[in-house]
């Protein structure tokens, strides 16, 4: 693996875990982060991608493991929220730093923006850890959650793995700019998704209208 000195400072905490456990560390940390535990899932994925840039890991395996375990972890969170809901979180959440106030704030944010927030939740600290739990608590249909969550996980993994793989240790400077423009970027993604959904639905309505008109003319 690359020397610790070659890694950005914020990655020093996960370097020993990654050095010892490799891909297993990436999958394990992302899984537990994804169902509410404040673990450094994003950080270890970025570290693994930087290692891949040094040729000591496979970037495709890093990305695949990150995606699969992110989806699995969020679905565990969904099950926790669906089965136990607030009762479990309020009773045991304090042991993983999920306070009732933090949960209420995240749930309010989630409720205001509806299903679309699932797509961008992985890019937002707090929602990344709790979006599955909150979706379960609010009883979002599982298939809907699974679809939006998989899209969000794919975007999250693709973005950070690509960025870290090609930029390597220079990522600290880049991440500073990314966090600076985080909310405009999220807004842009939401607008893009909304625009696509609107155009797609309009296309479907027009196609149905044309089909109905043809059927009427043939009757």
């Amino acid at each position: 693996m690359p020397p610790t000195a070659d890694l950005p400072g914020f990655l020093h905490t996960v370097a020993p875990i990654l050095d010892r456990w490799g891909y297993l560390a990436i999958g394990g940390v992302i899984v537990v982060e994804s169902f509410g535990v404040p673990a450094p899932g994003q950080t270890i994925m970025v570290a693994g991608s930087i290692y891949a840039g040094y040729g000591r890991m496979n970037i495709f395996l890093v990305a695949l493991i990150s995606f699969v375990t992110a989806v699995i972890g969020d679905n565990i969170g969904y099950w926790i929220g669906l089965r136990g809901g607030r009762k479990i979180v309020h009773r045991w959440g304090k042991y993983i730093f999920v306070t009732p106030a933090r949960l209420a704030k995240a749930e309010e944010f989630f409720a205001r923006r509806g299903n679309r927030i699932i797509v961008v939740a992985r890019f937002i600290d707090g929602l990344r850890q709790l979006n599955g739990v909150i979706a379960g608590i609010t009883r979002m249909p599982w298939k809907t959650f699974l679809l939006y969550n998989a899209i969000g996980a794919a975007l999250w993994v693709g973005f950070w793995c690509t960025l870290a793989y090609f930029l390597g240790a220079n990522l600290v400077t880049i991440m500073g700019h990314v966090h600076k423009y985080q909310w405009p970027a999220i807004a842009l993604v939401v607008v893009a998704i909304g625009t696509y959904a609107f155009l797609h639905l309009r296309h479907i309505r027009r196609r149905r209208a044309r089909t109905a008109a043809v059927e009427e003319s043939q009757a």
Side-chain angles (χ1 to χ4, degrees), residues 126-139:
L127 280 182
R128 180 166 64 252
Q129 294 84 1
L130 294 175
N131 80 94
V133 175
I134 297 170
I137 289 175
T138 57
R139 297 190 176 277

PDB file of all heavy atoms in Angstrom, residues 126-139:
ATOM      1  N   GLY A 126     -25.286  12.706   7.714  1.00  0.00           N
ATOM      2  CA  GLY A 126     -26.491  12.578   8.534  1.00  0.00           C
ATOM      3  C   GLY A 126     -27.546  11.804   7.775  1.00  0.00           C
ATOM      4  O   GLY A 126     -27.985  10.739   8.227  1.00  0.00           O
ATOM      5  N   LEU A 127     -27.972  12.318   6.629  1.00  0.00           N
ATOM      6  CA  LEU A 127     -28.932  11.580   5.814  1.00  0.00           C
ATOM      7  C   LEU A 127     -28.294  10.332   5.217  1.00  0.00           C
ATOM      8  O   LEU A 127     -28.982   9.332   5.001  1.00  0.00           O
ATOM      9  CB  LEU A 127     -29.481  12.469   4.695  1.00  0.00           C
ATOM     10  CG  LEU A 127     -30.579  13.449   5.091  1.00  0.00           C
ATOM     11  CD1 LEU A 127     -31.049  14.227   3.874  1.00  0.00           C
ATOM     12  CD2 LEU A 127     -31.753  12.736   5.741  1.00  0.00           C
ATOM     13  N   ARG A 128     -26.983  10.387   4.941  1.00  0.00           N
ATOM     14  CA  ARG A 128     -26.320   9.198   4.408  1.00  0.00           C
ATOM     15  C   ARG A 128     -26.465   8.028   5.374  1.00  0.00           C
ATOM     16  O   ARG A 128     -26.636   6.889   4.961  1.00  0.00           O
ATOM     17  CB  ARG A 128     -24.838   9.489   4.145  1.00  0.00           C
ATOM     18  CG  ARG A 128     -24.105   8.272   3.586  1.00  0.00           C
ATOM     19  CD  ARG A 128     -22.748   8.601   3.013  1.00  0.00           C
ATOM     20  NE  ARG A 128     -21.815   9.100   4.001  1.00  0.00           N
ATOM     21  CZ  ARG A 128     -21.411  10.367   4.076  1.00  0.00           C
ATOM     22  NH1 ARG A 128     -21.888  11.266   3.222  1.00  0.00           N
ATOM     23  NH2 ARG A 128     -20.546  10.747   4.991  1.00  0.00           N
ATOM     24  N   GLN A 129     -26.388   8.303   6.664  1.00  0.00           N
ATOM     25  CA  GLN A 129     -26.481   7.250   7.670  1.00  0.00           C
ATOM     26  C   GLN A 129     -27.932   6.888   8.005  1.00  0.00           C
ATOM     27  O   GLN A 129     -28.208   5.771   8.439  1.00  0.00           O
ATOM     28  CB  GLN A 129     -25.769   7.688   8.952  1.00  0.00           C
ATOM     29  CG  GLN A 129     -24.263   7.850   8.832  1.00  0.00           C
ATOM     30  CD  GLN A 129     -23.838   9.202   8.296  1.00  0.00           C
ATOM     31  OE1 GLN A 129     -24.673  10.056   8.017  1.00  0.00           O
ATOM     32  NE2 GLN A 129     -22.545   9.393   8.156  1.00  0.00           N
ATOM     33  N   LEU A 130     -28.865   7.820   7.806  1.00  0.00           N
ATOM     34  CA  LEU A 130     -30.219   7.620   8.325  1.00  0.00           C
ATOM     35  C   LEU A 130     -31.299   7.493   7.270  1.00  0.00           C
ATOM     36  O   LEU A 130     -32.456   7.263   7.607  1.00  0.00           O
ATOM     37  CB  LEU A 130     -30.584   8.786   9.258  1.00  0.00           C
ATOM     38  CG  LEU A 130     -29.782   8.894  10.554  1.00  0.00           C
ATOM     39  CD1 LEU A 130     -30.175  10.160  11.302  1.00  0.00           C
ATOM     40  CD2 LEU A 130     -30.009   7.676  11.430  1.00  0.00           C
ATOM     41  N   ASN A 131     -30.946   7.632   5.977  1.00  0.00           N
ATOM     42  CA  ASN A 131     -32.026   7.676   4.992  1.00  0.00           C
ATOM     43  C   ASN A 131     -32.817   6.373   4.939  1.00  0.00           C
ATOM     44  O   ASN A 131     -34.030   6.384   4.739  1.00  0.00           O
ATOM     45  CB  ASN A 131     -31.482   8.079   3.622  1.00  0.00           C
ATOM     46  CG  ASN A 131     -30.833   6.942   2.863  1.00  0.00           C
ATOM     47  OD1 ASN A 131     -31.461   6.274   2.048  1.00  0.00           O
ATOM     48  ND2 ASN A 131     -29.556   6.710   3.094  1.00  0.00           N
ATOM     49  N   GLY A 132     -32.151   5.219   5.129  1.00  0.00           N
ATOM     50  CA  GLY A 132     -32.873   3.954   5.136  1.00  0.00           C
ATOM     51  C   GLY A 132     -33.807   3.840   6.328  1.00  0.00           C
ATOM     52  O   GLY A 132     -34.965   3.407   6.198  1.00  0.00           O
ATOM     53  N   VAL A 133     -33.315   4.224   7.495  1.00  0.00           N
ATOM     54  CA  VAL A 133     -34.132   4.174   8.711  1.00  0.00           C
ATOM     55  C   VAL A 133     -35.358   5.064   8.572  1.00  0.00           C
ATOM     56  O   VAL A 133     -36.481   4.666   8.897  1.00  0.00           O
ATOM     57  CB  VAL A 133     -33.291   4.601   9.936  1.00  0.00           C
ATOM     58  CG1 VAL A 133     -34.174   4.676  11.185  1.00  0.00           C
ATOM     59  CG2 VAL A 133     -32.137   3.634  10.164  1.00  0.00           C
ATOM     60  N   ILE A 134     -35.146   6.283   8.073  1.00  0.00           N
ATOM     61  CA  ILE A 134     -36.256   7.221   7.924  1.00  0.00           C
ATOM     62  C   ILE A 134     -37.257   6.735   6.891  1.00  0.00           C
ATOM     63  O   ILE A 134     -38.474   6.849   7.075  1.00  0.00           O
ATOM     64  CB  ILE A 134     -35.725   8.618   7.547  1.00  0.00           C
ATOM     65  CG1 ILE A 134     -34.840   9.161   8.668  1.00  0.00           C
ATOM     66  CG2 ILE A 134     -36.875   9.575   7.285  1.00  0.00           C
ATOM     67  CD1 ILE A 134     -34.094  10.417   8.298  1.00  0.00           C
ATOM     68  N   ALA A 135     -36.760   6.158   5.794  1.00  0.00           N
ATOM     69  CA  ALA A 135     -37.675   5.612   4.777  1.00  0.00           C
ATOM     70  C   ALA A 135     -38.535   4.504   5.371  1.00  0.00           C
ATOM     71  O   ALA A 135     -39.724   4.392   5.061  1.00  0.00           O
ATOM     72  CB  ALA A 135     -36.877   5.085   3.590  1.00  0.00           C
ATOM     73  N   GLY A 136     -37.944   3.676   6.239  1.00  0.00           N
ATOM     74  CA  GLY A 136     -38.709   2.628   6.901  1.00  0.00           C
ATOM     75  C   GLY A 136     -39.729   3.184   7.873  1.00  0.00           C
ATOM     76  O   GLY A 136     -40.876   2.724   7.932  1.00  0.00           O
ATOM     77  N   ILE A 137     -39.327   4.179   8.644  1.00  0.00           N
ATOM     78  CA  ILE A 137     -40.238   4.799   9.611  1.00  0.00           C
ATOM     79  C   ILE A 137     -41.446   5.412   8.910  1.00  0.00           C
ATOM     80  O   ILE A 137     -42.585   5.303   9.374  1.00  0.00           O
ATOM     81  CB  ILE A 137     -39.490   5.875  10.438  1.00  0.00           C
ATOM     82  CG1 ILE A 137     -38.519   5.208  11.408  1.00  0.00           C
ATOM     83  CG2 ILE A 137     -40.471   6.764  11.197  1.00  0.00           C
ATOM     84  CD1 ILE A 137     -37.657   6.184  12.181  1.00  0.00           C
ATOM     85  N   THR A 138     -41.202   6.091   7.782  1.00  0.00           N
ATOM     86  CA  THR A 138     -42.292   6.729   7.048  1.00  0.00           C
ATOM     87  C   THR A 138     -43.030   5.753   6.127  1.00  0.00           C
ATOM     88  O   THR A 138     -43.934   6.152   5.399  1.00  0.00           O
ATOM     89  CB  THR A 138     -41.755   7.900   6.206  1.00  0.00           C
ATOM     90  OG1 THR A 138     -40.724   7.433   5.321  1.00  0.00           O
ATOM     91  CG2 THR A 138     -41.176   8.986   7.093  1.00  0.00           C
ATOM     92  N   ARG A 139     -42.619   4.479   6.159  1.00  0.00           N
ATOM     93  CA  ARG A 139     -43.268   3.408   5.402  1.00  0.00           C
ATOM     94  C   ARG A 139     -43.300   3.682   3.890  1.00  0.00           C
ATOM     95  O   ARG A 139     -44.317   3.452   3.215  1.00  0.00           O
ATOM     96  CB  ARG A 139     -44.676   3.133   5.932  1.00  0.00           C
ATOM     97  CG  ARG A 139     -44.655   2.642   7.372  1.00  0.00           C
ATOM     98  CD  ARG A 139     -45.992   2.130   7.856  1.00  0.00           C
ATOM     99  NE  ARG A 139     -45.899   1.586   9.201  1.00  0.00           N
ATOM    100  CZ  ARG A 139     -45.500   0.359   9.491  1.00  0.00           C
ATOM    101  NH1 ARG A 139     -45.172  -0.467   8.501  1.00  0.00           N
ATOM    102  NH2 ARG A 139     -45.431  -0.054  10.735  1.00  0.00           N
TER     103      ARG A 139
END
